[in-house]
Amino acid sequence: MSNPIENLNKTFDSRVRLGIMSTLIVNDQINFNDLKQLIGVTDGNLASHIKALEEIGYIKVNKGFIGKKTNTTYTITKLGEKSFQQHLGALEKMIKTMK
Amino acid sequence: MDARQQSLQELQQIKKMMERSSKFSSLSGLSGIAAGVCALVGIWLVVQTIAKWKQDHLKNIYAPEDELAKQLLVIAIVTFMAAAIFSFIFIFLRCKKLGIPVLGRSARRVIINIAIPLFAGALFIFRLSTLGTYELIAPACLIFYGIALVNASKYTLDEIRYMGLTELVIGIINLWILGYGLIFWGIGFGLVHIIYGVIIWWKYERNQTETL
């Protein structure tokens, strides 16, 4: 019997990354400040987790402008969506099989 | 804590984040109750004003219809503003308590999605009044308000959807019982607000220790 823990994605170990992915999977796009407010973390902490998720290719960073102010938004990639769904599936399986 | 419990907790947190980021859930039931009470007081004032006007009319005291219309309009505007201000105050307090921005992204979406049908409705009702089809004003208000609530409910508590459907049904019934607009307003804007306000308060605010 395979160990269901193996299917859990190590990338989603942190609360902040989980928060970013959960938010992006139900919202088309979201900007830095809204994300910060929702998750309740400091700028630096959020930025480092965003960078990590971007490097793996789970989220996409879109730099834009509102007037003269920069407005950076984030969207989830196909790969990110798939990985997150797999992670959710693994979690569910753990709950079911370990009763 | 075993692995199973940990997974459960993680799933719950994911669900919470999904809801919190896509829905404005810090509505306050007290807002609904306050708005409903304002509506009932407003309707009571209208009934009194009309009764007084009729009496004056019978006693042959000078009582022009224009004057009555003006008074009723003032009552309507004051009632609407009082309801809006009280609702906002209670939502503001609830947001502060939960530590959620009052005009955050989800709140803005709720406001925009309520405003679109209401704006169309306002123009429609204005046109009804200029054409003199006064009997249709009351049902039109209820129907457009119902549509606005159903439309915005995607971004907030599920109860708002049922409240919108209730308003729609009351408005539609009113279409076939014309001339009783004030009674239907009392039910739709008064009682329905109070009932759903109590439900929302009971469900989400009674245990104040619960936080998002």
Side-chain angles (χ1 to χ4, degrees), chain B residues 110-149:
Chain B
V110 172
I111 292 170
I112 290 168
N113 281 286
I114 283 190
I116 294 168
L118 278 194
F119 181 70
L123 290 179
F124 184 79
I125 289 156
F126 172 73
R127 201 64 192 115
L128 283 181
S129 70
T130 56
L131 292 172
T133 40
Y134 299 113
E135 315 83 41
L136 288 178
I137 291 177
C141 285
L142 289 163
I143 290 171
F144 276 101
Y145 183 54
I147 294 171
L149 291 180

mmCIF file of all heavy atoms in Angstrom, chain B residues 110-149:
data_model
loop_
_atom_site.group_PDB
_atom_site.id
_atom_site.type_symbol
_atom_site.label_atom_id
_atom_site.label_comp_id
_atom_site.label_asym_id
_atom_site.label_seq_id
_atom_site.Cartn_x
_atom_site.Cartn_y
_atom_site.Cartn_z
ATOM 1 N N VAL B 110 -19.616 43.474 -4.325
ATOM 2 C CA VAL B 110 -21.011 43.410 -3.881
ATOM 3 C C VAL B 110 -21.718 44.720 -4.234
ATOM 4 O O VAL B 110 -22.810 44.719 -4.804
ATOM 5 C CB VAL B 110 -21.090 43.150 -2.348
ATOM 6 C CG1 VAL B 110 -22.529 43.279 -1.868
ATOM 7 C CG2 VAL B 110 -20.552 41.775 -2.024
ATOM 8 N N ILE B 111 -21.067 45.836 -3.926
ATOM 9 C CA ILE B 111 -21.692 47.140 -4.162
ATOM 10 C C ILE B 111 -21.978 47.342 -5.652
ATOM 11 O O ILE B 111 -23.077 47.741 -6.035
ATOM 12 C CB ILE B 111 -20.793 48.270 -3.614
ATOM 13 C CG1 ILE B 111 -20.751 48.180 -2.083
ATOM 14 C CG2 ILE B 111 -21.312 49.646 -4.050
ATOM 15 C CD1 ILE B 111 -19.722 49.069 -1.431
ATOM 16 N N ILE B 112 -20.989 47.034 -6.497
ATOM 17 C CA ILE B 112 -21.176 47.234 -7.937
ATOM 18 C C ILE B 112 -22.316 46.362 -8.454
ATOM 19 O O ILE B 112 -23.170 46.816 -9.221
ATOM 20 C CB ILE B 112 -19.864 46.913 -8.702
ATOM 21 C CG1 ILE B 112 -18.832 47.990 -8.398
ATOM 22 C CG2 ILE B 112 -20.118 46.818 -10.209
ATOM 23 C CD1 ILE B 112 -17.436 47.643 -8.843
ATOM 24 N N ASN B 113 -22.365 45.114 -7.990
ATOM 25 C CA ASN B 113 -23.386 44.208 -8.508
ATOM 26 C C ASN B 113 -24.784 44.504 -7.986
ATOM 27 O O ASN B 113 -25.770 44.107 -8.592
ATOM 28 C CB ASN B 113 -23.001 42.757 -8.213
ATOM 29 C CG ASN B 113 -21.962 42.280 -9.205
ATOM 30 O OD1 ASN B 113 -22.281 42.028 -10.349
ATOM 31 N ND2 ASN B 113 -20.717 42.215 -8.784
ATOM 32 N N ILE B 114 -24.866 45.198 -6.842
ATOM 33 C CA ILE B 114 -26.179 45.668 -6.382
ATOM 34 C C ILE B 114 -26.546 46.913 -7.175
ATOM 35 O O ILE B 114 -27.692 47.097 -7.591
ATOM 36 C CB ILE B 114 -26.153 45.977 -4.861
ATOM 37 C CG1 ILE B 114 -26.219 44.673 -4.068
ATOM 38 C CG2 ILE B 114 -27.325 46.871 -4.471
ATOM 39 C CD1 ILE B 114 -26.445 44.844 -2.600
ATOM 40 N N ALA B 115 -25.557 47.766 -7.418
ATOM 41 C CA ALA B 115 -25.826 49.082 -8.001
ATOM 42 C C ALA B 115 -26.337 49.002 -9.441
ATOM 43 O O ALA B 115 -27.192 49.803 -9.830
ATOM 44 C CB ALA B 115 -24.563 49.943 -7.938
ATOM 45 N N ILE B 116 -25.847 48.039 -10.220
ATOM 46 C CA ILE B 116 -26.238 47.992 -11.640
ATOM 47 C C ILE B 116 -27.750 47.791 -11.810
ATOM 48 O O ILE B 116 -28.414 48.623 -12.431
ATOM 49 C CB ILE B 116 -25.420 46.924 -12.406
ATOM 50 C CG1 ILE B 116 -23.950 47.335 -12.446
ATOM 51 C CG2 ILE B 116 -25.963 46.737 -13.820
ATOM 52 C CD1 ILE B 116 -23.015 46.239 -12.911
ATOM 53 N N PRO B 117 -28.359 46.733 -11.242
ATOM 54 C CA PRO B 117 -29.817 46.597 -11.387
ATOM 55 C C PRO B 117 -30.579 47.732 -10.709
ATOM 56 O O PRO B 117 -31.625 48.152 -11.214
ATOM 57 C CB PRO B 117 -30.137 45.264 -10.709
ATOM 58 C CG PRO B 117 -28.859 44.540 -10.629
ATOM 59 C CD PRO B 117 -27.792 45.571 -10.535
ATOM 60 N N LEU B 118 -30.054 48.238 -9.582
ATOM 61 C CA LEU B 118 -30.771 49.317 -8.894
ATOM 62 C C LEU B 118 -30.795 50.579 -9.737
ATOM 63 O O LEU B 118 -31.793 51.299 -9.783
ATOM 64 C CB LEU B 118 -30.121 49.623 -7.535
ATOM 65 C CG LEU B 118 -30.488 48.737 -6.360
ATOM 66 C CD1 LEU B 118 -30.042 49.382 -5.056
ATOM 67 C CD2 LEU B 118 -31.981 48.455 -6.304
ATOM 68 N N PHE B 119 -29.703 50.862 -10.427
ATOM 69 C CA PHE B 119 -29.641 52.052 -11.266
ATOM 70 C C PHE B 119 -30.637 51.938 -12.427
ATOM 71 O O PHE B 119 -31.406 52.863 -12.706
ATOM 72 C CB PHE B 119 -28.214 52.230 -11.805
ATOM 73 C CG PHE B 119 -28.048 53.449 -12.661
ATOM 74 C CD1 PHE B 119 -28.105 54.720 -12.095
ATOM 75 C CD2 PHE B 119 -27.847 53.331 -14.029
ATOM 76 C CE1 PHE B 119 -27.971 55.847 -12.881
ATOM 77 C CE2 PHE B 119 -27.713 54.450 -14.829
ATOM 78 C CZ PHE B 119 -27.766 55.714 -14.252
ATOM 79 N N ALA B 120 -30.629 50.777 -13.073
ATOM 80 C CA ALA B 120 -31.600 50.542 -14.151
ATOM 81 C C ALA B 120 -33.016 50.656 -13.603
ATOM 82 O O ALA B 120 -33.907 51.265 -14.225
ATOM 83 C CB ALA B 120 -31.376 49.170 -14.775
ATOM 84 N N GLY B 121 -33.233 50.093 -12.417
ATOM 85 C CA GLY B 121 -34.547 50.139 -11.786
ATOM 86 C C GLY B 121 -34.976 51.564 -11.477
ATOM 87 O O GLY B 121 -36.137 51.934 -11.673
ATOM 88 N N ALA B 122 -34.031 52.377 -10.995
ATOM 89 C CA ALA B 122 -34.352 53.762 -10.655
ATOM 90 C C ALA B 122 -34.836 54.511 -11.884
ATOM 91 O O ALA B 122 -35.831 55.253 -11.834
ATOM 92 C CB ALA B 122 -33.135 54.449 -10.046
ATOM 93 N N LEU B 123 -34.149 54.319 -13.017
ATOM 94 C CA LEU B 123 -34.564 54.978 -14.256
ATOM 95 C C LEU B 123 -35.944 54.490 -14.689
ATOM 96 O O LEU B 123 -36.805 55.275 -15.098
ATOM 97 C CB LEU B 123 -33.556 54.708 -15.378
ATOM 98 C CG LEU B 123 -32.198 55.380 -15.233
ATOM 99 C CD1 LEU B 123 -31.304 55.004 -16.394
ATOM 100 C CD2 LEU B 123 -32.358 56.892 -15.155
ATOM 101 N N PHE B 124 -36.143 53.189 -14.587
ATOM 102 C CA PHE B 124 -37.420 52.583 -14.970
ATOM 103 C C PHE B 124 -38.560 53.158 -14.117
ATOM 104 O O PHE B 124 -39.615 53.538 -14.637
ATOM 105 C CB PHE B 124 -37.320 51.060 -14.769
ATOM 106 C CG PHE B 124 -38.520 50.299 -15.218
ATOM 107 C CD1 PHE B 124 -38.722 50.018 -16.566
ATOM 108 C CD2 PHE B 124 -39.451 49.843 -14.297
ATOM 109 C CE1 PHE B 124 -39.839 49.305 -16.977
ATOM 110 C CE2 PHE B 124 -40.565 49.132 -14.704
ATOM 111 C CZ PHE B 124 -40.758 48.862 -16.047
ATOM 112 N N ILE B 125 -38.325 53.255 -12.822
ATOM 113 C CA ILE B 125 -39.356 53.744 -11.908
ATOM 114 C C ILE B 125 -39.603 55.233 -12.117
ATOM 115 O O ILE B 125 -40.743 55.698 -12.070
ATOM 116 C CB ILE B 125 -38.958 53.422 -10.447
ATOM 117 C CG1 ILE B 125 -39.086 51.909 -10.233
ATOM 118 C CG2 ILE B 125 -39.831 54.166 -9.445
ATOM 119 C CD1 ILE B 125 -38.245 51.373 -9.119
ATOM 120 N N PHE B 126 -38.523 55.968 -12.396
ATOM 121 C CA PHE B 126 -38.683 57.398 -12.696
ATOM 122 C C PHE B 126 -39.604 57.573 -13.908
ATOM 123 O O PHE B 126 -40.508 58.400 -13.926
ATOM 124 C CB PHE B 126 -37.312 58.019 -12.977
ATOM 125 C CG PHE B 126 -37.385 59.425 -13.478
ATOM 126 C CD1 PHE B 126 -37.732 60.457 -12.607
ATOM 127 C CD2 PHE B 126 -37.137 59.727 -14.809
ATOM 128 C CE1 PHE B 126 -37.824 61.763 -13.052
ATOM 129 C CE2 PHE B 126 -37.238 61.028 -15.275
ATOM 130 C CZ PHE B 126 -37.577 62.046 -14.400
ATOM 131 N N ARG B 127 -39.374 56.739 -14.921
ATOM 132 C CA ARG B 127 -40.183 56.796 -16.136
ATOM 133 C C ARG B 127 -41.648 56.417 -15.838
ATOM 134 O O ARG B 127 -42.585 57.035 -16.351
ATOM 135 C CB ARG B 127 -39.575 55.838 -17.162
ATOM 136 C CG ARG B 127 -39.924 56.086 -18.586
ATOM 137 C CD ARG B 127 -39.416 57.395 -19.098
ATOM 138 N NE ARG B 127 -40.079 57.632 -20.395
ATOM 139 C CZ ARG B 127 -40.929 58.613 -20.632
ATOM 140 N NH1 ARG B 127 -41.198 59.502 -19.717
ATOM 141 N NH2 ARG B 127 -41.503 58.723 -21.806
ATOM 142 N N LEU B 128 -41.830 55.395 -15.010
ATOM 143 C CA LEU B 128 -43.192 55.007 -14.619
ATOM 144 C C LEU B 128 -43.914 56.184 -13.978
ATOM 145 O O LEU B 128 -45.083 56.446 -14.268
ATOM 146 C CB LEU B 128 -43.156 53.849 -13.607
ATOM 147 C CG LEU B 128 -42.878 52.437 -14.089
ATOM 148 C CD1 LEU B 128 -42.922 51.479 -12.907
ATOM 149 C CD2 LEU B 128 -43.893 52.007 -15.141
ATOM 150 N N SER B 129 -43.185 56.912 -13.103
ATOM 151 C CA SER B 129 -43.842 58.000 -12.385
ATOM 152 C C SER B 129 -44.152 59.157 -13.330
ATOM 153 O O SER B 129 -45.186 59.808 -13.193
ATOM 154 C CB SER B 129 -42.981 58.457 -11.207
ATOM 155 O OG SER B 129 -41.839 59.114 -11.685
ATOM 156 N N THR B 130 -43.287 59.417 -14.317
ATOM 157 C CA THR B 130 -43.580 60.521 -15.242
ATOM 158 C C THR B 130 -44.725 60.144 -16.178
ATOM 159 O O THR B 130 -45.435 61.006 -16.684
ATOM 160 C CB THR B 130 -42.347 60.925 -16.081
ATOM 161 O OG1 THR B 130 -41.870 59.776 -16.764
ATOM 162 C CG2 THR B 130 -41.254 61.507 -15.218
ATOM 163 N N LEU B 131 -44.917 58.859 -16.414
ATOM 164 C CA LEU B 131 -46.029 58.422 -17.267
ATOM 165 C C LEU B 131 -47.324 58.268 -16.465
ATOM 166 O O LEU B 131 -48.376 57.974 -17.023
ATOM 167 C CB LEU B 131 -45.691 57.092 -17.950
ATOM 168 C CG LEU B 131 -44.576 57.151 -18.990
ATOM 169 C CD1 LEU B 131 -44.202 55.752 -19.448
ATOM 170 C CD2 LEU B 131 -44.990 58.006 -20.183
ATOM 171 N N GLY B 132 -47.220 58.429 -15.147
ATOM 172 C CA GLY B 132 -48.412 58.384 -14.304
ATOM 173 C C GLY B 132 -48.891 56.997 -13.953
ATOM 174 O O GLY B 132 -49.989 56.839 -13.430
ATOM 175 N N THR B 133 -48.095 55.966 -14.191
ATOM 176 C CA THR B 133 -48.511 54.609 -13.810
ATOM 177 C C THR B 133 -48.008 54.305 -12.396
ATOM 178 O O THR B 133 -47.121 53.482 -12.183
ATOM 179 C CB THR B 133 -47.953 53.556 -14.787
ATOM 180 O OG1 THR B 133 -46.626 53.932 -15.124
ATOM 181 C CG2 THR B 133 -48.790 53.432 -16.016
ATOM 182 N N TYR B 134 -48.622 55.002 -11.439
ATOM 183 C CA TYR B 134 -48.132 54.936 -10.060
ATOM 184 C C TYR B 134 -48.285 53.551 -9.434
ATOM 185 O O TYR B 134 -47.510 53.166 -8.566
ATOM 186 C CB TYR B 134 -48.854 55.975 -9.196
ATOM 187 C CG TYR B 134 -48.619 57.383 -9.658
ATOM 188 C CD1 TYR B 134 -49.649 58.151 -10.194
ATOM 189 C CD2 TYR B 134 -47.345 57.945 -9.576
ATOM 190 C CE1 TYR B 134 -49.415 59.452 -10.630
ATOM 191 C CE2 TYR B 134 -47.100 59.239 -10.013
ATOM 192 C CZ TYR B 134 -48.148 59.990 -10.539
ATOM 193 O OH TYR B 134 -47.905 61.255 -10.976
ATOM 194 N N GLU B 135 -49.314 52.812 -9.856
ATOM 195 C CA GLU B 135 -49.555 51.509 -9.202
ATOM 196 C C GLU B 135 -48.380 50.559 -9.415
ATOM 197 O O GLU B 135 -48.176 49.635 -8.632
ATOM 198 C CB GLU B 135 -50.814 50.812 -9.751
ATOM 199 C CG GLU B 135 -52.032 51.672 -9.915
ATOM 200 C CD GLU B 135 -52.000 52.442 -11.229
ATOM 201 O OE1 GLU B 135 -51.600 51.848 -12.252
ATOM 202 O OE2 GLU B 135 -52.337 53.634 -11.222
ATOM 203 N N LEU B 136 -47.642 50.776 -10.518
ATOM 204 C CA LEU B 136 -46.544 49.840 -10.811
ATOM 205 C C LEU B 136 -45.259 50.180 -10.061
ATOM 206 O O LEU B 136 -44.313 49.396 -10.067
ATOM 207 C CB LEU B 136 -46.273 49.822 -12.321
ATOM 208 C CG LEU B 136 -47.323 49.121 -13.174
ATOM 209 C CD1 LEU B 136 -46.959 49.221 -14.645
ATOM 210 C CD2 LEU B 136 -47.448 47.651 -12.775
ATOM 211 N N ILE B 137 -45.220 51.348 -9.414
ATOM 212 C CA ILE B 137 -43.974 51.761 -8.760
ATOM 213 C C ILE B 137 -43.594 50.802 -7.630
ATOM 214 O O ILE B 137 -42.444 50.352 -7.554
ATOM 215 C CB ILE B 137 -44.087 53.213 -8.231
ATOM 216 C CG1 ILE B 137 -44.147 54.170 -9.431
ATOM 217 C CG2 ILE B 137 -42.896 53.559 -7.337
ATOM 218 C CD1 ILE B 137 -44.341 55.614 -9.069
ATOM 219 N N ALA B 138 -44.559 50.476 -6.770
ATOM 220 C CA ALA B 138 -44.232 49.601 -5.631
ATOM 221 C C ALA B 138 -43.725 48.224 -6.073
ATOM 222 O O ALA B 138 -42.651 47.799 -5.641
ATOM 223 C CB ALA B 138 -45.432 49.462 -4.702
ATOM 224 N N PRO B 139 -44.463 47.519 -6.961
ATOM 225 C CA PRO B 139 -43.918 46.226 -7.391
ATOM 226 C C PRO B 139 -42.582 46.354 -8.113
ATOM 227 O O PRO B 139 -41.705 45.496 -7.928
ATOM 228 C CB PRO B 139 -44.999 45.659 -8.321
ATOM 229 C CG PRO B 139 -45.951 46.755 -8.590
ATOM 230 C CD PRO B 139 -45.824 47.731 -7.466
ATOM 231 N N ALA B 140 -42.407 47.432 -8.900
ATOM 232 C CA ALA B 140 -41.145 47.593 -9.628
ATOM 233 C C ALA B 140 -39.979 47.750 -8.656
ATOM 234 O O ALA B 140 -38.905 47.170 -8.856
ATOM 235 C CB ALA B 140 -41.214 48.793 -10.574
ATOM 236 N N CYS B 141 -40.173 48.530 -7.579
ATOM 237 C CA CYS B 141 -39.115 48.695 -6.568
ATOM 238 C C CYS B 141 -38.717 47.339 -5.997
ATOM 239 O O CYS B 141 -37.535 47.005 -5.891
ATOM 240 C CB CYS B 141 -39.607 49.561 -5.406
ATOM 241 S SG CYS B 141 -39.704 51.298 -5.779
ATOM 242 N N LEU B 142 -39.721 46.547 -5.620
ATOM 243 C CA LEU B 142 -39.450 45.248 -4.998
ATOM 244 C C LEU B 142 -38.748 44.319 -5.973
ATOM 245 O O LEU B 142 -37.799 43.615 -5.609
ATOM 246 C CB LEU B 142 -40.761 44.621 -4.503
ATOM 247 C CG LEU B 142 -41.384 45.307 -3.286
ATOM 248 C CD1 LEU B 142 -42.837 44.896 -3.124
ATOM 249 C CD2 LEU B 142 -40.599 44.976 -2.026
ATOM 250 N N ILE B 143 -39.214 44.309 -7.225
ATOM 251 C CA ILE B 143 -38.647 43.384 -8.210
ATOM 252 C C ILE B 143 -37.190 43.752 -8.525
ATOM 253 O O ILE B 143 -36.308 42.891 -8.507
ATOM 254 C CB ILE B 143 -39.513 43.349 -9.490
ATOM 255 C CG1 ILE B 143 -40.846 42.646 -9.174
ATOM 256 C CG2 ILE B 143 -38.780 42.644 -10.627
ATOM 257 C CD1 ILE B 143 -41.881 42.737 -10.271
ATOM 258 N N PHE B 144 -36.930 45.045 -8.768
ATOM 259 C CA PHE B 144 -35.552 45.430 -9.081
ATOM 260 C C PHE B 144 -34.634 45.208 -7.883
ATOM 261 O O PHE B 144 -33.482 44.799 -8.032
ATOM 262 C CB PHE B 144 -35.476 46.881 -9.567
ATOM 263 C CG PHE B 144 -35.773 47.016 -11.027
ATOM 264 C CD1 PHE B 144 -37.012 47.451 -11.466
ATOM 265 C CD2 PHE B 144 -34.807 46.693 -11.976
ATOM 266 C CE1 PHE B 144 -37.290 47.563 -12.820
ATOM 267 C CE2 PHE B 144 -35.074 46.804 -13.330
ATOM 268 C CZ PHE B 144 -36.324 47.238 -13.749
ATOM 269 N N TYR B 145 -35.134 45.477 -6.684
ATOM 270 C CA TYR B 145 -34.328 45.241 -5.489
ATOM 271 C C TYR B 145 -34.018 43.744 -5.355
ATOM 272 O O TYR B 145 -32.895 43.355 -5.055
ATOM 273 C CB TYR B 145 -35.078 45.755 -4.255
ATOM 274 C CG TYR B 145 -34.307 45.638 -2.968
ATOM 275 C CD1 TYR B 145 -33.037 46.181 -2.849
ATOM 276 C CD2 TYR B 145 -34.849 44.981 -1.862
ATOM 277 C CE1 TYR B 145 -32.327 46.081 -1.669
ATOM 278 C CE2 TYR B 145 -34.142 44.873 -0.682
ATOM 279 C CZ TYR B 145 -32.885 45.418 -0.586
ATOM 280 O OH TYR B 145 -32.183 45.302 0.589
ATOM 281 N N GLY B 146 -35.024 42.919 -5.626
ATOM 282 C CA GLY B 146 -34.812 41.472 -5.574
ATOM 283 C C GLY B 146 -33.759 41.021 -6.566
ATOM 284 O O GLY B 146 -32.863 40.239 -6.232
ATOM 285 N N ILE B 147 -33.842 41.538 -7.796
ATOM 286 C CA ILE B 147 -32.855 41.169 -8.822
ATOM 287 C C ILE B 147 -31.457 41.614 -8.384
ATOM 288 O O ILE B 147 -30.488 40.874 -8.526
ATOM 289 C CB ILE B 147 -33.218 41.822 -10.184
ATOM 290 C CG1 ILE B 147 -34.535 41.230 -10.707
ATOM 291 C CG2 ILE B 147 -32.107 41.607 -11.198
ATOM 292 C CD1 ILE B 147 -35.083 41.947 -11.919
ATOM 293 N N ALA B 148 -31.370 42.822 -7.817
ATOM 294 C CA ALA B 148 -30.070 43.344 -7.368
ATOM 295 C C ALA B 148 -29.467 42.422 -6.308
ATOM 296 O O ALA B 148 -28.275 42.101 -6.355
ATOM 297 C CB ALA B 148 -30.229 44.759 -6.821
ATOM 298 N N LEU B 149 -30.290 41.975 -5.368
ATOM 299 C CA LEU B 149 -29.783 41.103 -4.299
ATOM 300 C C LEU B 149 -29.342 39.749 -4.841
ATOM 301 O O LEU B 149 -28.280 39.240 -4.485
ATOM 302 C CB LEU B 149 -30.853 40.902 -3.219
ATOM 303 C CG LEU B 149 -31.192 42.116 -2.361
ATOM 304 C CD1 LEU B 149 -32.265 41.748 -1.355
ATOM 305 C CD2 LEU B 149 -29.968 42.652 -1.648
#
